[in-house]
Amino acid sequence: KDGVSLCQPNARGRQLGTQRAEAKMWLAFAEAVEGMNLAECVSEAIVAAEKAHNYFSSNGDDRLRVEVCAVLTQLRLSRGENKDMELAQKSAELAMEVSETMNVRCRGRALLARGAVAFPNWQPYAEKALELALDLEDLLLEVEVRLSMARWWAHVEEHESSLGQANEALDML
């Protein structure tokens, strides 16, 4: 009887660890689809990211909630449908809201998501995210911000600015 009662908490811990690992795999899949612009997998990636968000939300993991919201924002924007635009806006707002109490990296990711939905008025959000990255010397966040800025500059056909940001990111790598 004592052995069973000792094993139950351990089994529960393994179950929670497995659920967390599964949610992190859903997030990783969604990030990969977002990063590689795999249009044929976007719907599946959105479903996976939403599952991950539900898990992280119910378990109070705000850092990963911000990450998922940022990925969801980009995935929804990539589809470009009206309903997706509204949902992308909500994802970005949620990322900003949750990130208020988080570390700088999470706030930077939330700002990038907010900038993506505020396009073409993305620049203030990107500049604030870059400022955060530079203040804390967070090279990973700075590369991410510079690559986002390069994409946005290219989208508005400011190719020299786009190339400048891409070169900055490349130099850092």
Side-chain angles (χ1 to χ4, degrees):
K1 188 174 183 180
D2 288 342
V4 170
S5 64
L6 285 174
C7 288
Q8 285 176 339
N10 290 337
R12 177 75 177 139
R14 280 194 301 275
Q15 181 184 4
L16 288 175
T18 301
Q19 290 170 341
R20 180 174 169 77
E22 187 175 19
K24 287 178 104 177
M25 284 187 277
W26 289 329
L27 173 57
F29 169 69
E31 287 175 328
V33 170
E34 175 209 352
M36 296 180 355
N37 288 328
L38 298 173
E40 66 275 4
C41 297
V42 170
S43 295
E44 189 179 350
I46 288 173
V47 170
E50 287 172 343
K51 286 180 185 178
H53 182 266
N54 290 340
Y55 175 82
F56 297 135
S57 180
S58 67
N59 288 289
D61 194 332
D62 289 342
R63 182 186 65 80
L64 288 171
R65 279 182 74 197
V66 171
E67 295 288 326
V68 170
C69 285
V71 170
L72 272 170
T73 300
Q74 295 297 332
L75 288 170
R76 288 178 172 141
L77 287 174
S78 73
R79 282 204 305 202
E81 299 171 8
N82 285 340
K83 183 180 177 186
D84 283 319
M85 296 302 189
E86 293 172 20
L87 292 171
Q89 179 76 28
K90 288 180 181 180
S91 293
E93 288 171 5
L94 182 58
M96 289 295 291
E97 180 183 314
V98 173
S99 74
E100 290 300 318
T101 61
M102 303 298 297
N103 64 28
V104 173
R105 177 146 180 52
C106 287
R107 283 197 306 271
R109 290 275 297 172
L111 284 164
L112 289 178
R114 187 72 180 107
V117 296
F119 196 84
N121 301 316
W122 59 268
Q123 200 166 359
Y125 300 104
E127 288 173 355
K128 181 65 177 166
L130 184 59
E131 182 181 314
L132 289 172
L134 292 172
D135 285 349
L136 283 158
E137 298 177 4
D138 185 333
L139 297 178
L140 184 60
L141 179 59
E142 185 179 349
V143 167
E144 190 173 345
V145 171
R146 290 190 183 283
L147 290 174
S148 292
M149 291 174 80
R151 264 192 320 271
W152 292 332
W153 280 122
H155 190 72
V156 295
E157 298 185 7
E158 291 286 337
H159 301 294
E160 190 171 313
S161 296
S162 176
L163 187 57
Q165 290 299 331
N167 280 333
E168 287 286 333
L170 187 58
D171 289 345
M172 294 174 66
L173 296 174

